[in-house]
Amino acid sequence: MLKPLLLITTIFFTAYSSAKLDTLPEEFADFGLDNDLTISYGDLDQLLKITVIDLGRSDRGFRKGQSSIGTRTRAHKNNDTALEANRFYYEEVVKANLKTGFRKIRLSLEQVPEQIPLNELVLSEQLAYWLNLYTTALLEKLIEHYPIFSTEDLLFGDNSLLDEEFITVMGHSLSLNDIQHNIVFKKFGKSKPIVMYGFHQGNIGSPNLRPEAYVGSKVYYQLADNGEEFVNSNRGMQIKGKDRLYLSVYYQQTEALFDDFEQDLKSHIEHYTNGSLKDAVESSKGFKLTIDDWHIVDLYRTHRAYGASAAINRAPLEGIGGITYGYRAADGSYITDPLTKRLAQFGRYPPQVWKKIRKLYKQRERIKGTVEIKDLDVNQE
């Protein structure tokens, strides 16, 4: 089976840069065994809940061609994927200046390892941390570049935002590519390739942006949910003809997660495929990585007619969860500077966790001790 697979499969690989972080720093390399040490992401969770629209699972339907007569509707060539993937209120987020919220949460997350070393956390907590830091930083950057229609050049053109080293953790300058390829893929990916579905890239053709933060206690469930949704959508996998299997170009980025990329990725797709397509995937002789959709997942820019009188509607950002989010972002509790400075102490960890953190610091100080260096007495033999 392996030989014909290699002969028939056509794959177009793209060289993805890895920035400057070639090896995993010692501060990020180890892990702890204490399951009681957890990080809270209530601020990010709240922000995602009011800015992400969950459109549910794909029904593998196709959007009918739209007439442009009398409108200024943008054309969307990907009619098989146009109605898939969760959406983000980019336009309203920009108007409400919620970029500040994402930036301040990102800065707060950068400070987490200053309170408790990541090596003290179990692997699932570490993974949730890196995924949340990546998601927050990515959205911050995409909001900064908005309005845009396609993300392709922004992500993979010259001066890619994925290579920009604007994140600092424990003194290490990191890019989004560093977090994805040089930290998460290297540390977690070989044993659990499912981590690939935690890296939304702002476009319809990438894994879903979840309307919630990742949490250590359920991060692998969240990733499996993302993976199942992606594989069973038109933007993740399609069968054409009897046994022609086509996969997303996103999988070009995941080669390092598999020892035998072609065979192992096909097995991965088989495992997550549901329903009547499962037999077709299993009987396919190979695959091609050709499916893409670079359109930004903005609710308006991908669905509405431009110039319409009802183009702006702030209703989705108002009165959610008992909090009003309007033009002025009336609720700024997670945006204000005083709270941002206290997030790591009062928001990131429950009280019982802080007790453990204080004990860890005391223990570390005892172990470290002090050394006093004195000049040697030259008269002593």
Side-chain angles (χ1 to χ4, degrees), residues 269-323:
I269 299 299
E270 290 177 11
H271 177 73
Y272 281 95
T273 302
N274 297 329
S276 59
L277 290 181
K278 194 173 187 69
D279 290 340
V281 173
E282 291 175 352
S283 63
S284 64
K285 299 297 190 295
F287 60 80
K288 294 183 179 182
L289 302 180
T290 60
I291 304 173
D292 65 30
D293 191 335
W294 301 105
H295 292 85
I296 191 170
V297 293
D298 183 4
L299 180 67
Y300 294 148
R301 291 181 71 83
T302 49
H303 279 89
R304 71 174 173 90
Y306 275 65
S309 59
I312 305 300
N313 178 10
R314 293 193 178 86
L317 294 183
E318 296 179 356
I320 299 179
I323 303 172

Side-chain angles (χ1 to χ4, degrees), residues 16-18 21 24 127 130-131 133-135 138 155-156 162-163 167 174-190 193 195-201 206-207 250-257:
Y16 288 91
S17 60
S18 58
L21 191 68
L24 196 64
L127 178 57
W130 288 116
L131 294 179
L133 178 57
Y134 172 96
T135 300
L138 174 78
L155 297 176
F156 303 112
L162 297 178
D163 285 330
I167 304 164
L174 305 175
S175 67
L176 292 167
N177 267 337
D178 280 327
I179 295 177
Q180 179 178 358
H181 296 282
N182 296 322
I183 296 178
V184 173
F185 278 13
K186 286 183 178 179
K187 185 168 184 175
F188 307 93
K190 275 294 185 179
V195 299
M196 75 176 83
Y197 297 111
F199 294 97
H200 172 70
Q201 294 185 332
S206 66
Y250 174 74
Y251 289 114
Q252 292 173 348
Q253 301 178 42
T254 69
E255 182 184 10
L257 302 181

Side-chain angles (χ1 to χ4, degrees), residues 30-31 118 121-130 187-188:
D30 207 350
F31 65 93
L118 293 179
L121 301 173
V122 297
L123 286 173
S124 58
E125 284 291 334
Q126 291 185 39
L127 178 57
Y129 168 78
W130 288 116
K187 185 168 184 175
F188 307 93

Side-chain angles (χ1 to χ4, degrees), residues 28-52:
F28 309 153
D30 207 350
F31 65 93
L33 298 175
D34 192 340
N35 284 297
D36 292 334
L37 289 175
T38 60
I39 303 175
S40 298
Y41 301 100
D43 50 352
L44 177 59
D45 197 68
Q46 181 188 37
L47 196 50
L48 291 174
K49 278 182 169 59
I50 66 169
T51 55
V52 179

Side-chain angles (χ1 to χ4, degrees), residues 58 60-63 76-84 233-235 238 240 291-293:
S58 167
R60 289 196 178 275
F62 286 69
R63 186 179 72 171
H76 194 301
K77 68 175 183 178
N78 305 83
N79 284 327
D80 54 346
T81 59
L83 300 180
E84 298 185 340
S233 69
N234 285 330
R235 70 190 198 283
Q238 297 179 21
K240 297 181 180 179
I291 304 173
D292 65 30
D293 191 335

